[in-house]
Amino acid sequence: MQACSVPFLDLLTPHRELRDELVAVFQQALETAGFIGGPMVASFEQDFSRFCGTRHCVGVGSGTDALRFALIAAGVKQGDVVVTVPNTFIATTEAITQAGATPDFVDVDEGTYNMDPERLRKYLQVQCRVDGGTCRVFNKRLGGPVTAVVPVHLYGQPADMDPILDLAQRFGLHVVEDACQAHGAEYFSKKENAWKRAGSMGKAAAFSFYPGKNLGACGEGGAVTTNDDEIARQVRMLRDHGQAQKYYHDLEGYNGRLDAIQAGILCVKLRYLTTWNEKRRECAGRYRELLGSAQPAIRLPNEPSWAKAVYHLYVVRVPNRDALQKHLAEAGIGTGVHYPIPLHLQKAYANLGYRKGDFPVSEATAVDILSLPMFPGLTYAQQDRIAQQALSFYSGTDLGTSSSPSARGAKSSATLTGNVCAS
Ligand SMILES: Cc1ncc(COP(=O)(O)O)c(C=O)c1O
């Protein structure tokens, strides 16, 4: 039988299914010539702020714009130091630099791959000093004041926000969440005894609507969410050349608006986001059933009891990653690596003076992480095939699991038979 390919991400099907609703958005924009600003942007901002549980949402041109504007509006200035994690997309640190600050890093937690609050505490206590006069925190090596922290809700899993927010309060730092991969993810705050949506916990948060995101536009898009009226006002000005009123510029800003067609498209898709996220969580559960027997050699994502992840990416850690990725590619299965080089080791940041070994958890994950196909329309049959191919790659090798590899392989093929081409 000719095996079907499984894409890493299927962006065609949802757009085919929503075709009429999406085309209506284009028609409305054409008929009104309302391309910039206007009611579609205002509606989306209202709907998305309600979804996130925040007072404000300000639509902007991209997730990178959102992070940059949120940092500037929160008060980050030239010469500041802003702390984030090394295992994120470079946009996180680009935005920090573009806000005038220097990015610095703390390593991530072994279990969640998100900012480790304990390492953040050590960073602030050991690598920084508190100025007695101003009570501001200064990084000893870089010299500048540490003014903000950017936890990234990576792969759609929320960072452990309670202790991060506590530390930020204690050391006078602003928290800007990078929620670009986490539309709808939830965190249980013990402090507030409530589930909180990603994007509603920091001083401000940034979302990306890049097409492949859980909520994706048909082009570029982003948003800042916040409960702070002044930050929202500042971001509205920053996205529109610093003007609060046409041609009255209170400050120098940017051309960073969310365009009306993208806002209209996002309004349509937002109505499906909860169902899509549930489907992603179902797919994650199915992967767990199929690959659970290969643990701990294959490490599956760990979702703590305080997290409801939305699985923007389903990332496993595997021995011999590159060879497995090649094997899956030959079987027509698309995968990805998010991300192969931690930011502190990227050429772009050679000037920051970091070395191999500085952030061991991020460095270790970069070597063995593999993102398996994950999208709401992924079928059980496709997942069966992915698991079958992954497990067969290791059959005959000693994965160090409790069952012998061949026995596991036999069990897997018994449970994984079926029409591999069904979709
Ligand atoms: C973690 C993270 N931060 C920021 C961004 C930047 O978003 P955009 O591509 O919309 O500028 C992305 C996008 O991939 C991201 O994954």
Side-chain angles (χ1 to χ4, degrees):
M1 183 186 354
Q2 172 69 44
C4 295
S5 62
V6 184
F8 175 60
L9 170 64
D10 175 11
L11 273 185
L12 290 175
T13 306
H15 291 104
R16 275 194 200 116
E17 286 172 357
L18 299 181
R19 193 189 154 84
D20 291 349
E21 285 182 86
L22 298 177
V23 168
V25 171
F26 282 96
Q27 275 167 344
Q28 190 186 335
L30 288 177
E31 278 158 23
T32 59
F35 300 116
I36 305 290
M40 290 206 279
V41 174
S43 285
F44 173 67
E45 290 179 340
Q46 199 175 46
D47 292 355
F48 197 62
S49 63
R50 194 174 304 133
F51 177 84
C52 293
T54 56
R55 280 168 60 78
H56 303 281
C57 163
V58 185
V60 297
S62 66
T64 314
D65 275 354
L67 277 167
R68 190 196 314 121
F69 299 164
L71 288 165
I72 296 171
V76 169
K77 297 206 167 38
Q78 193 75 35
D80 288 1
V81 175
V82 174
V83 193
T84 189
V85 289
N87 65 337
T88 176
F89 183 54
I90 192 169
T92 314
T93 43
E94 282 174 335
I96 293 170
T97 310
Q98 289 160 10
T102 303
D104 205 4
F105 302 106
V106 294
D107 210 350
V108 294
D109 172 71
E110 252 310 321
T112 62
Y113 317 138
N114 278 329
M115 181 176 277
D116 181 348
E118 187 48 27
R119 286 185 163 97
L120 177 63
R121 186 185 63 74
K122 277 198 191 129
Y123 170 88
L124 292 165
Q125 287 179 339
V126 178
Q127 295 180 45
C128 299
R129 65 173 178 84
V130 179
D131 180 87
T134 60
C135 287
R136 295 179 83 192
V137 188
F138 286 79
N139 181 286
K140 290 180 193 166
R141 185 173 64 91
L142 298 165
V146 183
T147 54
V149 54
V150 182
V152 181
H153 305 310
L154 197 72
Y155 308 148
Q157 164 130 281
D160 189 2
M161 292 300 288
D162 274 353
I164 294 172
L165 289 165
D166 276 352
L167 285 165
Q169 194 180 19
R170 210 167 111 205
F171 287 89
L173 316 179
H174 300 300
V175 177
V176 173
E177 297 168 66
D178 184 337
C180 285
Q181 300 189 1
H183 318 69
E186 291 183 43
Y187 173 76
F188 187 78
S189 166
K190 272 200 190 142
K191 248 179 108 175
E192 298 196 31
N193 194 27
W195 285 96
K196 309 280 293 180
R197 280 252 158 103
S200 68
M201 294 174 276
K203 187 99 177 151
F207 286 90
S208 165
F209 304 123
Y210 187 76
K213 299 295 196 232
N214 290 30
L215 178 64
C218 294
E220 302 282 357
V224 174
T225 51
T226 181
N227 287 315
D228 186 308
D229 297 351
E230 181 52 24
I231 287 188
R233 192 182 75 83
Q234 289 276 336
V235 174
R236 283 185 196 286
M237 287 200 292
L238 285 165
R239 72 173 173 183
D240 196 17
H241 301 288
Q243 56 188 359
Q245 194 187 336
K246 204 164 175 73
Y247 303 134
Y248 288 77
H249 304 273
D250 295 359
L251 45 92
E252 251 191 20
Y254 299 81
N255 177 353
R257 297 168 295 237
L258 175 65
D259 83 64
I261 291 175
Q262 299 309 333
I265 283 164
L266 290 166
C267 270
V268 170
K269 290 190 178 182
L270 183 55
R271 296 198 279 273
Y272 299 89
L273 180 59
T274 301
T275 307
W276 287 340
N277 281 344
E278 277 163 12
K279 286 190 173 168
R280 285 175 184 267
R281 287 179 59 75
E282 221 179 277
C283 291
R286 178 68 173 164
Y287 271 135
R288 185 158 287 281
E289 279 170 26
L290 294 170
L291 296 171
S293 65
Q295 292 202 93
I298 294 181
R299 244 173 98 170
L300 305 181
N302 163 40
E303 197 178 316
S305 57
W306 42 259
K308 278 188 201 149
V310 290
Y311 293 97
H312 171 58
L313 295 168
Y314 189 85
V315 178
V316 295
R317 295 180 69 182
V318 291
N320 210 357
R321 189 262 319 275
D322 293 346
L324 173 64
Q325 185 172 34
K326 185 162 172 276
H327 171 82
L328 293 175
E330 282 163 5
I333 295 166
T335 57
V337 176
H338 302 87
Y339 299 92
I341 303 175
L343 293 179
H344 67 288
L345 299 178
Q346 294 279 0
K347 249 194 230 162
Y349 294 119
N351 62 318
L352 295 180
Y354 290 109
R355 283 192 313 260
K356 221 172 173 178
D358 284 342
F359 302 102
V361 181
S362 295
E363 289 170 31
T365 58
V367 175
D368 62 9
I369 45 175
L370 186 68
S371 308
L372 299 180
M374 172 54 81
F375 48 90
L378 186 66
T379 65
Y380 274 18
Q382 286 174 319
Q383 287 190 280
D384 288 353
R385 196 164 109 67
I386 295 159
Q388 192 174 39
Q389 284 294 335
L391 295 174
S392 75
F393 173 76
Y394 293 112
S395 72
T397 65
D398 181 9
L399 270 177
T401 55
S402 49
S403 58
S404 80
S406 50
R408 192 182 54 253
K411 178 174 166 235
S412 303
S413 46
T415 54
L416 299 176
T417 48
N419 179 5
V420 292
C421 281
S423 60

